[in-house]
Amino acid sequence: MSSIQPGANASLDQWLAHLETLHPKAIDMGLDRIRTVAQRLELELPFVKIVVAGTNGKGSTCAMLEAILLSAGYRVGLYTSPHLVHFNERIRVNGENAGDEQIIAQFERIEAARGEISLSYFEFATLAALLLFDAGRLDVAVLEVGMGGRLDAVNIVDADCAIVTSVDIDHTEWLGDTREKIGLEKAHVFRAGRPAICADPQPPASIAGYAEQAGADLWQFGKDFNYSGDRQQWAYGGRNQRRNGLAYPALRGANQLINASAALAAIESLRDKLAVPQQAVRVGLLQVSLPGRMQILPGKPAIVLDVAHNPHAAAALAQNLAGMAYYPYTHAVVGMLRDKDAEAVLAKLAPRVDHWYCATLDGPRGSTGEELAEIVRGVLPDSPDETITVSSFDNPVQAFAKARELAAEDDRILVFGSFSTVGPILQELGRTV
């Protein structure tokens, strides 16, 4: 147990330290504990609920939904995870991060209600978000699944519309080691008689199979909705709605039109509950922002930040880097968690990187810089370019400092591999999230 007594004027940081020690497992899948506490808290959630699951693209899809719905004049709640710098990023009400006092007040309510039931950090966070949304007089809430779907805490919510953005190999210890198994876990956010959006262009059969079994109304990318475009603009085509002349999303990256199409399919499927005019879509797509996803900072050398940490995301990142302007050298700062497929991720980026700065991440799940450096050396060609360098550091900030020291003005610095790698660098640069 934590040494603090929650409720005794504890700060948010003290509460979070308490939550990290409260439950015997950091990740403990299952809905019984959180559902019981939610019932004690008498959650009502009297608003439209959109739940977003998927391996990659969840954060971008959630950010676009929030921006479009805010532009349409709705009061919007957004719950995402993990955070980059501050826990408050996880819970947003009407476009603003929740304040420390607001979150602490909900933690106190949850602590009082849970009694003998032990809750994980993520379960506490999820209940705090739902309590704030209950009190926030919302019109709509967008809720991002933490991991999988079937046993994720967010799945206590019955979605009015559920989205699965993509299915790839990640979190195999908890979700299975094939796309079919992982797809089935994610599809469990679907509900009977309600729209179920699948944005994966090549979805595992298990998604459609579960949608049919559950009686959900499945919308499939390429069949029920799609997009087209040229260099200037793009268009969304759905079952009964077409939106033409759209500006490209402010989020960079190869897959953003798929994510935007998923968001617009969800909005189309909910048109009886949420009217969203064309101008709100245009403005929302132009204004959307999401730190740490193909985020390019102004100035020289160019700094690119991306939380990519699985092979699918790494392949998209490599494609996006290839589409950028010419840079003489690319310096990569990387830190990863031990339960990720580091070899496959680093192999995707190896052709794009000249100098590697491998950083140790704290905590039991963090890989050391030396371990990553060894993996990098293993994925380099048999006769690597002698100018390629690989070094290791105690933390991401130290690695980044060395990369900035050695990078020339016209070079590019890439920071990737984990929220725990990108977050400290954003903080170091004084960037607000």
Side-chain angles (χ1 to χ4, degrees), residues 162-191:
I163 302 173
V164 172
T165 56
S166 67
V167 180
D168 203 63
I169 306 297
D170 201 0
H171 301 299
T172 54
E173 184 180 338
W174 296 279
L175 306 181
D177 55 1
T178 67
R179 291 183 76 238
E180 290 294 337
K181 291 176 184 174
I182 295 170
L184 182 60
E185 291 288 323
K186 295 183 185 302
H188 273 73
V189 296
F190 297 162
R191 294 295 188 270

Side-chain angles (χ1 to χ4, degrees), residues 264-429:
L264 292 183
I267 287 168
E268 180 188 351
S269 77
L270 293 168
R271 63 193 178 283
D272 293 343
K273 294 184 171 77
L274 298 168
V276 178
Q278 183 80 339
Q279 185 61 12
V281 174
R282 289 198 180 105
V283 171
L285 291 175
L286 283 170
Q287 292 184 344
V288 64
S289 68
L290 187 62
R293 277 69 159 197
M294 198 55 199
Q295 181 181 5
I296 303 174
L297 303 184
K300 290 189 170 187
I303 298 172
V304 181
L305 302 151
D306 198 300
V307 294
H309 53 255
N310 58 53
H312 184 249
L317 174 57
Q319 184 182 347
N320 293 331
L321 293 173
M324 290 177 68
Y326 170 74
Y327 297 91
Y329 296 100
T330 295
H331 304 251
V333 174
V334 59
M336 294 189 68
L337 297 178
R338 194 169 269 125
D339 52 29
K340 304 302 175 186
D341 188 351
E343 185 175 351
V345 168
L346 296 171
K348 301 283 187 193
L349 275 306
R352 303 273 159 217
V353 176
D354 304 287
H355 303 290
W356 291 89
Y357 306 77
C358 301
T360 297
L361 294 187
D362 288 338
R365 292 171 65 203
S367 293
T368 67
E370 290 82 4
E371 287 168 341
L372 284 179
E374 199 58 39
I375 295 170
V376 169
R377 294 185 188 101
V379 301
L380 292 175
D382 289 338
S383 52
D385 185 330
E386 290 181 4
T387 62
I388 292 178
T389 62
V390 183
S391 47
S392 57
F393 299 86
D394 291 339
N395 57 63
V397 171
Q398 191 186 90
F400 182 68
K402 180 56 75 171
R404 290 181 94 181
E405 179 188 322
L406 297 180
E409 192 175 77
D410 292 332
D411 287 350
R412 170 173 64 187
I413 300 174
L414 167 66
V415 180
F416 79 101
S418 175
F419 282 79
S420 301
T421 308
V422 173
I425 304 307
L426 280 170
Q427 200 162 15
E428 179 73 8
L429 292 168

Side-chain angles (χ1 to χ4, degrees), residues 150-276:
R150 181 172 65 93
L151 298 176
D152 187 87
V154 170
N155 204 31
I156 63 167
V157 174
D158 288 324
D160 294 289
C161 172
I163 302 173
V164 172
T165 56
S166 67
V167 180
D168 203 63
I169 306 297
D170 201 0
H171 301 299
T172 54
E173 184 180 338
W174 296 279
L175 306 181
D177 55 1
T178 67
R179 291 183 76 238
E180 290 294 337
K181 291 176 184 174
I182 295 170
L184 182 60
E185 291 288 323
K186 295 183 185 302
H188 273 73
V189 296
F190 297 162
R191 294 295 188 270
R194 297 184 182 177
I197 315 294
C198 177
D200 193 311
Q202 296 178 300
S206 56
I207 289 188
Y210 182 78
E212 183 177 0
Q213 178 189 329
D217 176 19
L218 183 63
W219 292 47
Q220 289 186 285
F221 178 79
K223 181 179 174 186
D224 299 281
F225 66 100
N226 213 327
Y227 69 83
S228 57
D230 56 33
R231 290 193 164 201
Q232 274 71 47
Q233 57 189 24
W234 71 285
Y236 161 83
R239 282 187 184 171
N240 300 294
Q241 189 175 52
R242 187 163 180 82
R243 294 186 186 268
N244 296 312
L246 298 174
Y248 278 85
L251 302 181
R252 296 177 173 91
N255 296 321
Q256 293 303 356
L257 285 189
I258 295 180
N259 297 331
S261 297
L264 292 183
I267 287 168
E268 180 188 351
S269 77
L270 293 168
R271 63 193 178 283
D272 293 343
K273 294 184 171 77
L274 298 168
V276 178

